[in-house]
Amino acid sequence: MNYKNPIIKGFHPDPSICRVGEDYYLVTSSFEYTPGIPIYHSRDLVNWEPIGACVTRESQIDLSDAKDSGGIWAPTIRYQNGTFYVTATVDGRGNFIMETEDILGEWSDPVWVDMGGIDPSLYFEGDQAYYCTNFRVHEEKEEITLARINPHTGERLGDIKAIWEGTGGGYLEAPHIYHVGEWYYLFTAEGGTDFNHMETVARSKSIWGPYESCPWNPILTNAHDTTKQIQCSGHGDLLEDHRGNWWMVHLGIRLSRRTMTTLGRETFLMPVLWKQGWPWISETKRSLLEVDGPVFGEQKEPSQWQADFTKKEWDPRFVWLRSKKELNAEQRNGSMILYPAKRKMGQVSGFMGVRPMDFACEVGMTFSFDPKTVGEEVGLMIYLSSEFHYRIGKQKRSDGVYLIMERTAEDLVQPVMERRIGPGKLSMHIQTGKEKDTFWFREEGNDWEVVGPVSNRFISCEVSGRCFTGTLIGIYAWSAEDTDSKVIVSEFYQKKIET
């Protein structure tokens, strides 16, 4: 049956997957956003629904000081004897493990693992647990290393041993170990999470090695794909489905303009065959946008979503930048109530948003806001990082209240539009495209007016530099000083634009 990649669109890098019976669970990196490590569920591998997150309490992991593209990196999810385990790296703090018996419930506080490196992975066999990272026993060379651990405490139960040095592609990372038949297979990423990214494999009869390299490494890469439909493919995780078929989820990007993307790294799925005792993707080794594989459900692409403010729990699509405390928000009487955050110098404060559905989508809201002090501002923002973002908002100045639209690209701040605005409800939406974005607004009782289109080049990941995330679109509410003003949001939605 035919299906389309990516299976989860928008900023969803470093996917990891596990199966429990006929249920599939997938997690991705979340970096500086909270709740951290989003969880998705599927029954057919091609239709995925967000069901929650692993890091939901600041007492677990406090991201209030997370830098751009910092925070939580590269999770691995595994299921063993009735318990789910997740391990990941916190930038600058080390590696941790969390667990739960209820995937829909709360996860434990983290235990910190006595082993360095990044992109950690867990492997269970019998009553033994193994921990695998790219920590270097020998500083002068890259290597994948392994140790036995207690997954409940993080305590290392033996020495760290180097088991493989990779193929020489550089930036050796993202190791995963599997036992298939008589072999242990070690999957790794090489080439850096950029245009030379690739997935490589080695195998051994012993988990401790020695490991031999697959004769057709890399098994997956789009580095030499002249179609440029998909790039940067790598960081894969292997899975056998409940029908005996094999798959690999991996990250990749779709280009929006030339060699750039606004969405960041997304989650892809490719079928895996076995040849001569090795995993095999295809003769071309490429990931594809359209794939013919043994999926067991018809893919139904989401086209729209409306936030339901009558519920007590927040929809898992919503994420906050760094900390929920920065933008105090609640759902009450069918509305979202926001309290503007005090803005920090050089940072975007008080932002919550959603990942775009695709390159072409619309995100909008209707709200009431009566600003009291100079510097208060509320609106919609496309956010990539603290230095790269576009916004349209209602702003209090010393001489009145204005509607403004502004683009920020590092130290270049470009006002695009400003005009006085009256009281009453305000509606606004942003329509995104591959190369240009358009901003719309409507004062209560008036017709829609448009700002733009404007080039989105400056919110492309490749322009901003070392950016591991992608754009989010959502609400910001900030003030220059402490304030008791509040914002009442009556509607927030997202829909795909057919192109």
Side-chain angles (χ1 to χ4, degrees):
M1 184 180 295
N2 188 267
Y3 67 92
K4 294 182 179 180
N5 270 318
I7 54 169
I8 306 180
K9 294 183 177 180
F11 157 47
H12 291 97
D14 311 324
S16 179
I17 191 170
C18 73
R19 175 173 70 89
V20 182
E22 296 185 13
D23 291 286
Y24 299 86
Y25 301 96
L26 186 149
V27 295
T28 69
S29 291
S30 50
F31 293 90
E32 63 263 43
Y33 295 97
T34 189
I37 312 181
I39 308 169
Y40 287 80
H41 171 257
S42 177
R43 297 275 293 180
D44 57 19
L45 294 175
V46 290
N47 296 292
W48 294 89
E49 284 292 327
I51 60 172
C54 301
V55 181
T56 56
R57 310 182 301 276
E58 284 200 2
S59 61
Q60 291 171 303
I61 297 173
D62 185 356
L63 297 174
S64 57
D65 293 327
K67 299 177 292 185
D68 292 347
S69 291
I72 301 174
W73 296 352
T76 294
I77 187 170
R78 294 294 182 256
Y79 181 78
Q80 177 75 1
N81 296 331
T83 300
F84 292 92
Y85 297 86
V86 157
T87 184
T89 301
V90 179
D91 179 32
R93 295 185 229 175
N95 298 321
F96 68 90
I97 301 172
M98 301 167 62
E99 61 182 88
T100 185
E101 294 180 0
D102 180 7
I103 193 75
L104 299 176
E106 292 287 311
W107 288 69
S108 69
D109 287 339
V111 296
W112 297 90
V113 182
D114 181 22
M115 186 169 172
I118 62 170
D119 300 359
S121 181
L122 276 165
Y123 172 74
F124 293 93
E125 187 167 86
D127 59 356
Q128 300 293 317
Y130 298 84
Y131 206 68
C132 193
T133 77
N134 68 349
F135 174 74
R136 298 187 185 189
V137 176
H138 308 93
E139 292 187 6
E140 70 278 7
K141 58 185 177 183
E142 292 188 304
E143 52 196 9
I144 299 301
T145 48
L146 185 70
R148 287 195 310 115
I149 65 162
N150 182 334
H152 307 295
T153 66
E155 177 188 6
R156 187 159 45 83
L157 303 179
D159 294 337
I160 301 172
K161 181 179 179 181
I163 60 173
W164 198 44
E165 298 178 13
T167 67
Y171 301 97
L172 183 64
E173 58 190 6
H176 295 299
I177 292 177
Y178 317 90
H179 195 188
V180 183
E182 61 180 339
W183 295 97
Y184 290 91
Y185 290 89
L186 173 61
F187 277 52
T188 65
E190 296 188 56
T193 185
D194 208 327
F195 295 105
N196 290 321
H197 209 27
M198 64 184 77
E199 191 70 17
T200 57
V201 180
R203 73 182 184 185
S204 171
K205 292 289 182 68
S206 166
I207 193 170
W208 299 105
Y211 281 83
E212 60 174 311
S213 178
C214 176
W216 49 77
N217 269 329
I219 64 165
L220 173 76
T221 184
N222 284 72
H224 308 294
D225 182 359
T226 57
T227 70
K228 305 298 183 186
Q229 291 183 320
I230 302 172
Q231 294 289 285
C232 308
S233 295
H235 201 118
D237 198 8
L238 186 69
L239 174 83
E240 183 182 15
D241 69 27
H242 65 276
R243 296 183 175 185
N245 303 304
W246 290 87
W247 304 88
M248 182 169 65
V249 293
H250 68 89
L251 67 78
I253 68 167
R254 293 176 295 152
L255 300 177
S256 53
R257 51 189 301 145
R258 295 183 289 280
T259 58
M260 304 175 194
T261 182
T262 55
L263 295 182
R265 299 171 298 167
E266 304 175 288
T267 292
F268 292 74
L269 175 74
M270 288 298 293
V272 175
L273 300 176
W274 293 90
K275 290 192 174 184
Q276 303 172 30
W278 293 101
W280 186 86
I281 301 293
S282 70
E283 292 289 350
T284 66
K285 305 183 180 183
R286 297 184 333 209
S287 187
L288 303 171
L289 289 181
E290 293 198 18
V291 186
D292 186 19
V295 294
F296 34 92
E298 181 182 354
Q299 191 175 34
K300 300 176 182 178
E301 191 167 3
S303 60
Q304 60 184 3
W305 166 75
Q306 178 102 20
D308 184 355
F309 298 135
T310 64
K311 296 181 177 179
K312 180 180 178 181
E313 301 295 329
W314 289 99
D315 191 289
R317 292 170 180 81
F318 277 121
V319 293
W320 281 253
L321 179 60
R322 292 186 294 271
S323 171
K324 284 186 176 182
K325 292 180 180 178
E326 282 199 6
L327 182 58
N328 190 2
E330 58 183 323
Q331 297 179 120
R332 188 200 313 159
N333 300 325
S335 298
M336 178 198 296
I337 314 299
L338 302 174
Y339 302 90
K342 187 173 180 179
R343 189 176 185 184
K344 299 177 183 178
M345 290 297 294
Q347 282 191 343
V348 169
S349 302
F351 173 79
M352 62 182 293
V354 295
R355 295 165 173 86
M357 282 183 167
D358 210 333
F359 287 118
C361 74
E362 177 178 310
V363 178
M365 71 171 180
T366 298
F367 67 99
S368 299
F369 173 52
D370 183 18
K372 298 179 180 179
T373 61
V374 173
E376 293 183 19
E377 185 179 332
V378 173
L380 276 180
M381 177 182 291
I382 307 179
Y383 180 87
L384 179 64
S385 71
S386 59
E387 296 181 321
F388 295 86
H389 48 84
Y390 299 174
R391 74 184 197 273
I392 182 170
K394 185 176 183 179
Q395 183 187 84
K396 173 73 170 178
R397 298 181 179 177
S398 58
D399 62 341
V401 178
Y402 286 77
L403 185 76
I404 62 99
M405 192 263 152
E406 193 170 273
R407 297 195 298 172
T408 298
E410 213 163 33
D411 59 347
L412 300 176
V413 179
Q414 180 193 32
V416 180
M417 181 273 294
E418 60 180 43
R419 57 176 280 181
R420 286 183 178 271
I421 193 170
K425 283 188 176 182
L426 185 63
S427 297
M428 51 181 59
H429 63 255
I430 300 173
Q431 292 181 335
T432 64
K434 282 192 172 183
E435 297 192 4
K436 295 182 183 296
D437 299 334
T438 308
F439 296 72
W440 297 78
F441 67 93
R442 181 176 66 185
E443 296 184 70
E444 190 173 18
N446 294 344
D447 294 330
W448 283 100
E449 299 184 55
V450 63
V451 183
V454 296
S455 167
N456 58 26
R457 171 186 174 85
F458 300 106
I459 48 174
S460 297
C461 301
E462 292 72 20
V463 170
S464 66
R466 187 177 179 269
C467 180
F468 296 145
T469 58
T471 53
L472 276 78
I473 307 176
I475 307 166
Y476 72 96
W478 65 47
S479 62
E481 304 295 337
D482 292 329
T483 179
D484 59 358
S485 295
K486 67 179 180 181
V487 186
I488 301 176
V489 180
S490 55
E491 179 187 42
F492 186 92
Y493 69 90
Q494 179 175 193
K495 63 182 180 181
K496 186 177 178 181
I497 300 174
E498 296 301 328
T499 57

